[in-house]
């Protein structure tokens, strides 16, 4: 939550430099929100000063500094006036301040939940860590930025309440000084988030390409904007292009293994080429089916852009043109097998990039239901206009399209599994690529498993039913062998 509060704080810092900040900050709602933020900061410093109610050791003045800063911030809150009484902020600047207050308040509640509030409730195992001096020092260091920002905003609130800036600045300096330590501060855990787009750059190496592809895959799996029918039409065509580019790459790797006399890898790569052709055929069938429907606007910029980034990176991986882009005038000259992968280790790295691209296609196939549902609604409405009926049915072409997507996903999982096994064989000297391939294969397997119980069962060396049957046989055998010794003397110490 402190990380989230830091993100909101960045927006608040930018607002301070706005040309009309004096006009914005002079509103009563802003002063009320600043008072509320100050009270949250007072609560933080009070908890640090008391060690969150957990017995603690001497801290060389850290908690004393938190107590003194708390008194200063509380004095500033009294100058700023009463807290807000409205549920919704009354201005944009007031909303930004409230976002910081809420994020900080939630973070404080989470920390306080680990400490006992009654005599009968024990502290959590993490309570000593929260009450430690290093934690108190790190919290003071982070809070000093929030206090300083509140002070700079208070300067612009008007002649009456601008006096609150002085105690706030004093408290910020106090927290900053005692929050500084020679040892590195405690970094908050980065929460799961959608990565920013990494635009393709000319001259990317394999590592940069893999990083960009990973970002695009995560963005495809967590779209920030809803897709449309045109979006999924575009993504289907993009998946077909990705399969064709991957086919070129794997074919070149097969030729390179022949040049390196790695015969035991050639047969696996040839089987993968056959599987890729089947996957490509599934996506081309989906594309042809989408082309029979009318267009509905433009594709969503986020999803279409991420798919385009994948195509560009894969095309530049296999083609000689470092600035290759898809289009009628795109270069068809491909790299030589030696240039694509000089060694078996390099081949494993290139194959890993291809594997992640196939994972992106599987994600597109698995997340198709929104567009199909929209298309089904449109189809039903059109039929209702032509032939009104009280029992509308899902058009047959919707079921056919759904079957095509499910077939593409199933075939894509087979391709990912086969390619992942081949990469594990190629990556004998690069455990990172082998681990990456294993992770992608597990994600594909978990995505294809419908029954969670059956998925959990596959994690055992043998099925659970067999384990239970074997145990029952052992019990019956033991009960029928009364003369058998109950213990066996080990031959080893």
């Amino acid at each position: 939550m402190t990380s989230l509060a830091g993100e909101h704080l960045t927006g608040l810092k930018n607002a301070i430099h706005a040309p009309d900040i004096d006009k914005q900050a002079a509103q009563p709602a802003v002063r009320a929100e600043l008072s509320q933020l100050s009270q949250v900061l007072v609560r933080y410093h009070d908890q640090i000063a008391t060690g969150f109610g957990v017995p603690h050791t001497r801290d060389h003045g850290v908690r004393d500094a938190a107590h003194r800063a708390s008194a200063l911030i509380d004095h500033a809150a009294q100058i700023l006036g009463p807290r807000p009484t409205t549920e919704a902020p009354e201005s944009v600047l007031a909303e930004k301040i409230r976002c910081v207050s809420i994020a900080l308040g939630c973070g404080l509640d989470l920390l306080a939940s680990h400490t006992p509030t009654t005599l009968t409730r024990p502290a959590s195992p993490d309570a000593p860590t929260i009450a430690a001096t290093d934690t108190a020092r790190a919290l003071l260091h982070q809070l000093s930025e929030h206090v300083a920002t509140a002070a700079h905003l208070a300067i612009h609130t008007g002649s009456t309440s601008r006096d609150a800036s002085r105690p706030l600045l004093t408290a910020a300096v106090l927290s900053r000084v005692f929050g500084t330590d020679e040892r590195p501060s405690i970094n908050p855990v980065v929460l799961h988030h959608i990565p920013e787009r990494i635009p393709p750059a000319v001259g990317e190496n394999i590592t940069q390409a893999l990083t960009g592809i990973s970002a695009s895959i995560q963005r495809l799996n967590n779209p920030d904007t809803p897709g449309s029918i045109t979006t999924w039409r575009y993504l289907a065509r993009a998946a077909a292009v990705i399969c064709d580019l991957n086919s070129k790459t794997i074919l070149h790797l097969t030729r390179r293994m022949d040049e390196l006399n790695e015969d035991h890898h050639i047969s696996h790569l040839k089987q993968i080429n056959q599987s890729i052709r089947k996957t490509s055929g599934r996506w081309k069938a989906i594309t042809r089916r989408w082309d029979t429907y009318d267009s509905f606007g433009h594709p969503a910029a986020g999803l279409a852009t991420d798919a385009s980034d994948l195509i560009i990176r894969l095309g530049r991986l296999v083609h000689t043109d470092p600035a290759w882009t898809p289009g009628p005038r795109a270069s068809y000259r491909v790299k030589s097998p030696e240039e694509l992968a000089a060694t078996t280790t390099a081949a494993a790295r290139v194959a890993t990039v291809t594997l992640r691209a196939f994972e992106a296609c599987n994600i597109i196939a698995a997340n198709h239901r929104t567009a199909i549902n929209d298309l089904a609604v449109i189809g039903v409405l059109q039929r209702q206009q032509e032939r009104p009926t009280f029992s509308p049915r899902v058009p047959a072409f919707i079921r056919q399209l759904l079957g095509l997507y499910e077939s593409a996903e199933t075939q894509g999982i087979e391709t990912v599994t086969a390619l992942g096994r081949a990469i594990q064989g190629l990556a004998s000297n690069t455990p990172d690529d082998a681990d990456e391939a294993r992770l992608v294969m597990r994600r594909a397997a978990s995505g294809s498993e419908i029954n969670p119980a059956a998925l959990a069962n596959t994690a055992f060396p043998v099925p659970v039913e067999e384990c239970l049957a074997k145990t029952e046989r052992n019990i019956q055998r033991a009960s029928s062998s009364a003369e058998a010794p109950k213990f066996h003397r080990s031959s080893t110490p």
Side-chain angles (χ1 to χ4, degrees):
M1 297 306 299
T2 55
S3 299
L4 180 61
E7 294 179 7
H8 292 304
L9 185 67
T10 301
L12 202 57
K13 290 179 179 178
N14 296 332
I16 295 177
H17 301 286
D20 58 342
I21 182 61
D22 291 332
K23 181 179 179 181
Q24 294 185 49
Q27 299 177 5
V30 173
R31 292 196 297 271
E33 294 295 342
L34 276 177
S35 178
Q36 176 68 28
L37 176 59
S38 299
Q39 292 296 333
V40 174
L41 293 170
V42 167
R43 289 174 51 208
Y44 255 108
H45 286 78
D46 286 344
Q47 289 281 24
I48 296 173
T50 59
F52 288 87
V54 179
H56 52 270
T57 58
R58 296 179 59 85
D59 52 13
H60 307 288
V62 174
R63 288 182 174 81
D64 181 61
H67 178 73
R68 291 161 57 192
S70 174
L72 290 167
I73 300 171
D74 184 64
H75 176 57
Q78 300 301 324
I79 297 175
L80 290 168
R83 306 179 191 181
T85 57
T86 59
E87 294 184 2
E90 299 179 4
S91 67
V92 176
L93 182 59
E95 182 180 8
K96 292 181 179 180
I97 300 173
R98 182 171 293 191
C99 287
V100 178
S101 300
I102 293 174
L104 284 177
C106 291
L108 180 60
D109 292 340
L110 287 174
L111 291 175
S113 65
H114 292 271
T115 58
T117 55
T118 61
L119 296 177
T120 58
R121 180 169 173 260
S124 75
D126 296 325
T129 303
I130 296 173
T133 301
D134 290 343
T135 306
R137 198 183 300 274
L139 281 174
L140 277 182
H141 190 273
Q142 292 186 24
L143 292 174
S144 65
E145 295 189 16
H146 294 272
V147 179
T149 303
H152 289 294
L153 276 173
I155 295 175
H156 301 279
T157 55
S159 58
T160 305
S161 56
R162 66 182 305 169
D163 294 338
S165 62
R166 182 175 292 276
L168 286 172
L169 284 174
T170 305
V173 173
L174 193 62
S175 298
R176 191 77 174 182
V177 170
F178 283 89
T180 304
D181 192 10
E182 295 180 356
R183 291 169 293 180
S185 59
I186 299 175
N187 295 323
V189 176
V190 179
L191 300 177
H192 174 71
H193 68 286
I194 302 174
E196 296 293 332
R197 176 190 171 228
I198 305 177
V202 178
E204 285 183 341
N205 55 32
I206 296 296
T207 302
Q208 293 171 329
L210 185 57
T211 302
I213 287 175
S214 298
S216 298
I217 291 173
Q218 294 181 53
R219 290 172 61 83
L220 284 171
N221 202 19
N222 301 275
D224 54 355
T225 56
S228 63
I229 293 177
T230 308
T231 300
W232 292 104
R233 181 207 306 271
Y234 179 88
L235 292 179
R237 181 170 282 104
V241 174
I242 288 172
C243 290
D244 289 342
L245 292 172
N246 284 346
S247 179
K248 288 184 180 180
T249 303
I250 298 300
L251 182 61
H252 261 46
L253 292 181
T254 306
R255 293 172 178 170
R256 183 54 182 163
M257 292 301 102
D258 189 21
E259 294 175 355
L260 295 175
N261 296 323
E262 298 284 351
D263 298 336
H264 53 290
H265 295 308
I266 296 176
S267 59
H268 297 294
L269 293 176
K270 287 183 177 180
Q271 293 177 359
I272 295 169
N273 272 316
Q274 297 175 0
S275 182
I276 292 175
R277 284 194 292 270
K278 293 180 181 179
T279 307
S280 179
R282 302 290 193 277
W283 281 111
K284 290 177 180 177
I286 295 174
T287 302
R288 289 192 297 268
R289 184 57 59 90
W290 275 115
D291 289 339
T292 61
Y293 307 135
D294 295 332
S295 178
F296 297 90
H298 299 283
L303 293 172
T305 303
D306 295 327
S308 297
D309 289 347
L310 278 176
I311 293 174
I312 291 174
R313 282 194 166 94
L314 293 173
R316 292 178 180 178
L317 181 68
V318 70
H319 291 96
T320 56
D321 184 7
W324 183 92
T325 54
R329 299 182 179 180
S331 173
Y332 289 95
R333 294 184 59 187
V334 295
K335 297 177 181 178
S336 64
E338 183 179 3
E339 185 181 1
L340 181 65
T343 61
T344 305
T345 301
R349 192 65 170 165
V350 173
T352 303
V353 175
T354 306
L355 180 69
R356 295 306 308 274
F358 275 121
E359 184 182 24
C361 295
N362 291 346
I363 289 174
I364 294 173
N367 296 338
H368 63 276
R369 295 185 181 275
T370 302
I372 288 185
N373 289 339
D374 293 342
L375 190 62
V377 171
I378 293 174
V380 169
L381 291 177
Q382 289 176 347
R383 288 197 173 188
Q384 283 291 94
Q385 292 177 354
E386 298 173 359
R387 299 177 181 178
T389 177
F390 292 102
S391 57
R393 297 181 179 180
V394 177
F397 66 85
I398 294 297
R399 293 192 294 270
Q400 294 171 0
L401 186 58
L402 177 62
L404 289 175
Y405 269 107
E406 292 176 346
S407 177
E409 184 180 4
T410 301
Q411 182 59 47
I413 292 173
E414 293 181 6
T415 302
V416 165
T417 304
L419 182 55
R421 291 172 180 170
I423 292 174
Q424 289 179 332
L426 287 170
S428 57
N429 298 325
T430 52
D432 290 343
D433 294 329
D435 292 341
E436 182 74 17
R438 192 177 298 109
L439 182 61
V440 174
M441 291 169 62
R442 287 193 175 187
R443 282 198 294 261
S446 62
S448 63
E449 192 64 59
I450 299 176
N451 187 354
L455 176 62
N457 189 19
T458 59
F460 289 89
V462 293
V464 175
E465 293 83 358
E466 186 175 339
C467 290
L468 295 176
K470 183 178 180 181
T471 303
E472 184 178 356
R473 289 195 299 268
N474 291 339
I475 294 175
Q476 293 175 354
R477 189 181 301 111
S479 61
S480 61
S481 303
E483 298 180 358
K486 296 183 179 180
F487 300 95
H488 297 275
R489 186 181 302 275
S490 176
S491 59
T492 59

